[in-house]
């Protein structure tokens, strides 16, 4: 009896996406555009944190935002109204992530010669978005205090692929069983090089430090 043939479809899909992502990064480098992929679970305060960050950088950098979601344009409208910068909405057609080709389609609708920094606010999900390279220069994610300090243990890939982690909603720390030191330890178990910023988008705590980090990243990317 002949052996059953096994086809690694998933591996093939990821390999093709990685090729597209590398190509997109090279194109962005030529244009001097820095792309940040921002991920988190729903309700972590991703959009609010993004708004606070943009308002600290918009007079230093030319910024655009791509908001990815399954439906609606709520976040794109919110960002535009709160910051005044260019913001477009990407509908994923039910998909729980963006890949490199979908990201490129969004970028094609931005005047990249007038932009230094593009922030892609990915679909709210701690699993699927981490699996697909979007072609970004760096990956960032937001973990909020109410979600628990053990999330790096439960979602290893997300924390492994992120260069920076923002621990948001620090203002409610007294009301939750959340140990910041333990969380930082778990994050560095997954990614020893990850930068960690405790922040509170509501009060602005810690956002300046993250904004300065991002500004330095963009400047370095354009100078290399």
């Amino acid at each position: 009896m002949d052996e059953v043939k096994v086809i690694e479809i998933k591996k093939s899909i990821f390999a093709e996406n990685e090729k597209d992502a590398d190509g997109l990064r090279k194109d962005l480098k030529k244009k001097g555009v820095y792309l940040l992929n921002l991920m988190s679970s729903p309700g972590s305060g991703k959009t609010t944190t993004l708004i606070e960050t943009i308002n600290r950088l918009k007079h230093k950098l030319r910024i655009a935002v791509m908001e990815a979601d399954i439906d609606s344009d709520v976040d794109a409208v919110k960002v535009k109204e709160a910051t005044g910068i260019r913001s477009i909405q990407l509908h994923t057609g039910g998909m729980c992530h963006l890949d490199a080709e979908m990201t490129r389609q969004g970028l094609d609708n931005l005047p990249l010669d007038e932009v230094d920094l593009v922030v892609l606010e990915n679909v709210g999900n701690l699993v699927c978005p981490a699996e697909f390279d979007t072609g970004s220069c760096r990956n960032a994610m937001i973990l909020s205090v109410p979600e628990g300090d053990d999330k790096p243990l439960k979602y290893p890939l997300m924390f492994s692929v992120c260069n920076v982690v923002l621990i948001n909603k620090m203002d409610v720390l007294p009301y939750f069983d959340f140990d910041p030191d333990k969380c930082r330890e778990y994050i560095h178990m997954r990614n020893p090089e990850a930068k960690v910023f405790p922040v509170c988008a509501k009060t602005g705590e810690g956002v300046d430090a993250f904004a300065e980090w991002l500004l330095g990243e963009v400047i370095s990317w354009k100078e290399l």
Side-chain angles (χ1 to χ4, degrees), residues 151-207:
K151 288 299 176 290
L153 303 179
K154 295 183 176 181
Y155 300 93
L157 183 59
M158 173 60 73
F159 291 87
S160 296
V161 302
C162 283
N163 309 95
V164 58
V165 178
L166 284 72
I167 303 177
N168 191 27
K169 304 187 181 181
M170 291 296 290
D171 57 324
V172 300
L173 188 61
Y175 309 105
F176 289 89
D177 184 17
F178 186 102
D179 186 331
D181 293 332
K182 276 290 184 184
C183 186
R184 189 184 293 265
E185 177 186 338
Y186 296 152
I187 291 169
H188 287 149
M189 282 174 57
R190 300 305 184 192
N191 185 350
E193 303 301 318
K195 294 187 176 297
V196 181
F197 294 97
V199 303
C200 176
K202 184 177 180 180
T203 65
E205 174 190 350
V207 179

Side-chain angles (χ1 to χ4, degrees), residues 18-36:
E18 289 171 4
K19 180 180 177 182
D20 291 342
D22 287 340
L24 178 55
R25 259 187 297 274
K26 290 178 182 178
D27 291 343
L28 290 172
K29 181 63 178 176
K30 291 177 183 177
K31 293 180 172 67
V33 176
Y34 186 99
L35 175 63
L36 179 71

Side-chain angles (χ1 to χ4, degrees), residues 10 13-15 17-18 37 39 96-99 122 125-134 139 157-158 161:
K10 188 174 182 180
I13 291 173
F14 287 162
N17 182 67
E18 289 171 4
N37 178 29
M39 300 176 282
C96 58
H97 67 274
L98 263 70
D99 59 20
N122 215 315
N125 189 319
L126 290 182
V127 181
C128 302
E131 295 182 328
F132 290 86
D133 189 341
T134 60
N139 292 318
L157 183 59
M158 173 60 73
V161 302

